[in-house]
Amino acid sequence: MVLRPTGSGARERMPGLRRAGLFGVVPLLVIAVAVFGWYRLSDTGRDWRYRSGLAGFCQGLVPEAESAVFTGHEKSGLGRDEHIAEDDGLRWERCDVADLNLMIGDVADTLANTGTPSAFFTLLHRGSDELPVALGGGWEGYTDLRNTAVVLPCANRPSSVLVSAVSREPLAGPPQARQVARLVTATAVRAARRYGCDARPGGPVPPVSRPDGETLPENVDGTCAGIPVATAVDRGEVNWIKKTDGGGNAPVEECVLGKTVAFSAAAYYLQANYGPYAQRLRTTRYDGGHGGDGYGLQADSGIDPSSAWATARCPGHTARALFFVNATEYAAPTKPFLRAALRAFAGRAAERHGCTDLRLPR
């Protein structure tokens, strides 16, 4: 039998119980509203949401501090997130941090360029008017104020971790390029750890220098050092050059010889490519010809009427480095000039990078 309170005493006690229950609920509601307000409005709550979002973003490879420079700790700044697993010596991620498109890859030295628009190597195409400059700080990396990348060769297997960041618009200048470089290098360290790549990272990224603009052809130094520019000047092909100082360890280096007609036009491009950047150009699986992404240069050296190339073996990579000179429609190339230009350019680039077995065209 259950005894229930009856009479006026019970009726008097019930309102008191309801008031006590109400007084207990109100503080809980106040606390809940306060917690929700903290979560939605406070800087601490915003940062907590951002860290929570990063934990599951891009396989957890994007660091908080370096990415927050671009996102302002706002989770909405984290965009596309794609994990792409391929069987042919590659696994990679592609994700957006604010206006930066990050590509993070574990790239075997045997990987070939399929040439398809969405392929990893195809997306490494730079498309910048500025020359690449080395990041310094012990990193194998570069920036051209739009593209920034770093390569970490793996000591325990023939592959590299490559992280590239491409900005939708050209970067504001060297200070912002340095911030992107910090994001790229920190991401590369995380990626090497996740991919099981025994790599030696660099140190803090030093201030980034601005790529050189056009200068007089008498100033033949840096990446253009030793090239017989005077020969091209005498033939009326060249009246300016573009170069960088050649310091550091960039996976891509360039020298451009050009002339001003109605506009500034490049006559000769000279480029050095190391590691995955050399693989990209040497292993193309489609017939793209010369002058773009479709080199497919299987031979270790060669020459034709408008271009010449050489290769060398460089520390940290089993894939041979690629050096080439390419003439445009604004040049009147001769094979002796192509050979001499390539010999000077490739010889100095190979020496800077500690490369051996340089194979030049005959």
Side-chain angles (χ1 to χ4, degrees):
M1 177 183 297
V2 177
L3 298 177
R4 300 180 184 275
T6 58
S8 60
R11 286 193 297 270
E12 289 174 359
R13 286 193 296 273
M14 290 303 293
L17 291 174
R18 284 196 294 269
R19 284 195 296 272
L22 181 60
F23 289 145
V25 170
V26 169
L28 293 177
L29 290 175
V30 171
I31 292 171
V33 170
V35 170
F36 181 77
W38 168 85
Y39 178 79
R40 297 300 303 173
L41 301 177
S42 73
D43 290 343
T44 306
R46 178 203 59 192
D47 296 350
W48 186 89
R49 292 195 305 276
Y50 187 69
R51 285 192 294 272
S52 176
L54 276 179
F57 177 73
C58 209
Q59 301 293 303
L61 298 178
V62 177
E64 178 187 356
E66 291 83 0
S67 62
V69 171
F70 304 97
T71 62
H73 270 107
E74 294 291 346
K75 188 177 176 181
S76 59
L78 305 176
R80 171 176 46 189
D81 183 0
E82 299 174 351
H83 173 67
I84 304 157
E86 299 188 13
D87 298 327
D88 194 15
L90 173 69
R91 48 180 169 171
W92 60 296
E93 335 293 334
R94 190 179 182 192
C95 48
D96 292 341
V97 176
D99 290 335
L100 298 172
N101 175 229
L102 283 180
M103 291 204 310
I104 308 165
D106 182 15
V107 186
D109 289 354
T110 56
L111 182 68
N113 185 3
T114 64
T116 57
S118 61
F120 181 83
F121 276 146
T122 304
L123 294 172
L124 289 180
H125 179 69
R126 290 188 13 254
S128 173
D129 294 331
E130 302 286 356
L131 299 192
V133 296
L135 295 182
W139 296 96
E140 184 177 351
Y142 82 91
T143 184
D144 59 20
L145 299 188
R146 184 161 193 170
N147 304 266
T148 305
V150 67
V151 177
L152 286 179
C154 304
N156 57 325
R157 51 188 169 85
S159 59
S160 299
V161 168
L162 191 159
V163 178
S164 168
V166 182
S167 175
R168 293 177 190 170
E169 300 293 335
L171 300 175
Q176 189 179 30
R178 187 186 188 190
Q179 291 175 329
V180 177
R182 287 169 171 162
L183 170 62
V184 167
T185 53
T187 301
V189 170
R190 286 179 167 227
R193 190 181 303 120
R194 174 177 287 274
Y195 294 147
C197 169
D198 184 7
R200 178 180 293 179
V205 178
V208 174
S209 60
R210 179 177 288 278
D212 293 347
E214 296 173 12
T215 187
L216 294 174
E218 291 82 2
N219 301 322
V220 186
D221 57 11
T223 50
C224 292
I227 296 172
V229 177
T231 302
V233 172
D234 291 343
R235 294 205 305 260
E237 295 179 290
V238 171
N239 60 22
W240 57 261
I241 65 173
K242 288 178 72 174
K243 58 185 175 58
T244 61
D245 63 12
N249 187 20
V252 183
E253 297 174 340
E254 290 183 357
C255 165
V256 182
L257 314 180
K259 66 178 180 179
T260 302
V261 283
F263 50 89
S264 290
Y268 295 94
Y269 286 102
L270 295 100
Q271 191 177 90
N273 301 268
Y274 305 89
Y277 286 88
Q279 288 174 249
R280 169 180 168 268
L281 295 175
R282 293 197 72 206
T283 64
T284 305
R285 288 179 175 169
Y286 70 104
D287 183 13
H290 291 284
D293 288 346
Y295 278 81
L297 304 177
Q298 299 299 319
D300 286 342
S301 64
I303 189 168
D304 63 28
S306 63
S307 64
W309 68 95
T311 63
R313 188 166 301 283
C314 302
H317 301 288
T318 59
R320 293 178 67 85
L322 172 67
F323 313 92
F324 68 82
V325 54
N326 216 25
T328 74
E329 65 269 28
Y330 298 100
T334 65
K335 287 189 176 181
F337 177 77
L338 293 174
R339 286 193 185 95
L342 180 63
R343 184 180 302 112
F345 177 76
R348 284 171 169 77
E351 183 179 2
R352 285 195 307 270
H353 286 254
C355 304
T356 58
D357 190 28
L358 176 62
R359 299 184 185 181
L360 294 159
R362 297 178 179 179

